[in-house]
């Protein structure tokens, strides 16, 4: 039986999303090193020397939980500059989450993230016929919370003591979502953002 989320390559003007493979680990290590991303205590970016484990865990999630991890390729340089994934997939209720997203510092605050979200949301709502797409982030990840709001998502609430972090701290998780009824306006907004002169 076909899975709800099958491997797919999503191409845009600035970025391309490709299904994650083990061979991507060295490029992801280089991307994570740009900005020392693993040092942000409220994220789950692997240090460069543990990227193989990170990739293996993401691929295991794909096999056991129907997640779909992607690498992000910057089209102008052809470099892999980060990753993202669909997960918490609920095929029965046509819902999923977009998350585990991170980018090399040099492409942060560029059109890459906006375009990746447009590609992922378009596929979720228009190909998979999702009725809702969620985003979740750590309470203290203020940059991520602001970026999710800029997409046009609305905050649903806060799950307190939702997860235990690797350092033993307890994560309060902020939950956002976009509904299928909201998608046309969000799509228009994201296209407007990408078409604005830089």
């Amino acid at each position: 039986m076909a899975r709800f989320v099958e491997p797919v390559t999503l191409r845009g003007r600035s970025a391309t999303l490709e299904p994650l493979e083990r061979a991507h680990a060295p490029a992801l290590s280089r991307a994570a090193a740009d900005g020392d991303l693993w040092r942000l205590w409220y994220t789950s970016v692997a240090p460069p020397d543990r990227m193989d484990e990170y990739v293996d865990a993401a691929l295991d999630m794909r096999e056991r939980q129907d997640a779909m991890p992607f690498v992000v390729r910057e089209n102008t340089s052809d470099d892999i500059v980060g990753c993202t994934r669909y997960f918490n997939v609920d095929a029965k209720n046509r819902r999923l989450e977009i998350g585990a997203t991170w980018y090399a510092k040099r492409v942060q605050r560029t059109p890459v993230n906006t375009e990746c979200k447009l590609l992922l949301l378009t596929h979720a709502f228009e190909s998979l016929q999702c009725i809702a797409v969620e985003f979740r982030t750590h309470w203290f990840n203020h940059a991520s919370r602001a970026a999710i709001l800029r997409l046009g998502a609305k905050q649903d609430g806060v799950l307190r003591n939702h997860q235990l972090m690797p350092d033993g701290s307890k994560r309060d998780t902020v939950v956002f979502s976009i509904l299928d009824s909201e998608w046309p306006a969000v799509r228009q907004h994201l296209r407007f953002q990408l078409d604005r002169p830089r």
Side-chain angles (χ1 to χ4, degrees):
M1 188 170 77
R3 294 185 177 195
F4 182 56
V5 182
E6 295 283 358
V8 64
T9 297
L10 305 173
R11 289 186 173 84
R13 288 178 296 184
S14 301
T16 299
L17 293 163
E18 303 170 10
L20 176 68
E21 300 175 3
R22 283 189 175 82
H24 290 133
L28 287 172
S29 293
R30 290 190 294 275
D34 179 6
D36 292 347
L37 303 180
W38 70 94
R39 297 188 189 278
L40 297 174
W41 69 273
Y42 47 76
T43 69
S44 58
V45 181
D49 62 348
R50 297 186 62 189
M51 195 58 69
D52 285 331
E53 297 169 39
Y54 181 89
V55 169
D56 285 344
L59 293 175
D60 181 63
M61 182 183 278
R62 182 177 70 189
E63 294 308 309
R64 291 188 306 107
Q65 301 174 29
D66 289 338
M68 183 51 58
F70 298 91
V71 293
V72 179
R73 188 178 297 278
E74 182 186 40
N75 290 345
T76 55
S77 66
D78 204 39
D79 292 339
I80 290 173
V81 293
C83 62
T84 189
R85 72 184 74 158
Y86 289 140
F87 64 114
N88 286 335
V89 175
D90 181 353
K92 179 181 177 182
N93 293 300
R94 309 199 77 79
R95 300 176 65 98
L96 53 75
E97 179 181 341
I98 295 173
T101 302
W102 55 267
Y103 300 99
K105 186 175 181 180
R106 72 175 183 80
V107 297
Q108 294 174 13
R109 302 184 189 278
T110 71
V112 168
N113 182 51
T114 303
E115 184 158 57
C116 286
K117 293 302 188 293
L118 177 60
L119 292 168
L120 290 164
L121 288 165
T122 299
H123 187 68
F125 285 117
E126 299 179 16
S127 296
L128 302 177
Q129 299 296 302
C130 287
I131 64 171
V133 174
E134 288 186 9
F135 302 86
R136 298 183 179 204
T137 193
H138 196 296
W139 175 264
F140 283 104
N141 195 341
H142 298 292
S144 177
R145 289 168 63 182
I148 293 168
L149 287 170
R150 278 195 304 273
L151 295 174
K154 293 181 174 62
Q155 184 173 319
D156 294 323
V158 181
L159 302 175
R160 305 193 63 199
N161 277 3
H162 179 234
Q163 291 178 319
L164 289 172
M165 300 294 285
D167 66 359
S169 64
K170 297 168 186 162
R171 167 177 151 155
D172 288 349
T173 298
V174 189
V175 182
F176 302 82
S177 66
I178 298 171
L179 306 181
D180 54 352
S181 59
E182 298 165 340
W183 168 236
V186 170
R187 179 181 56 209
Q188 184 176 13
H189 170 68
L190 294 176
R191 287 176 175 168
F192 174 75
Q193 296 293 325
L194 289 169
D195 289 340
R196 283 193 310 177
R198 300 278 162 203

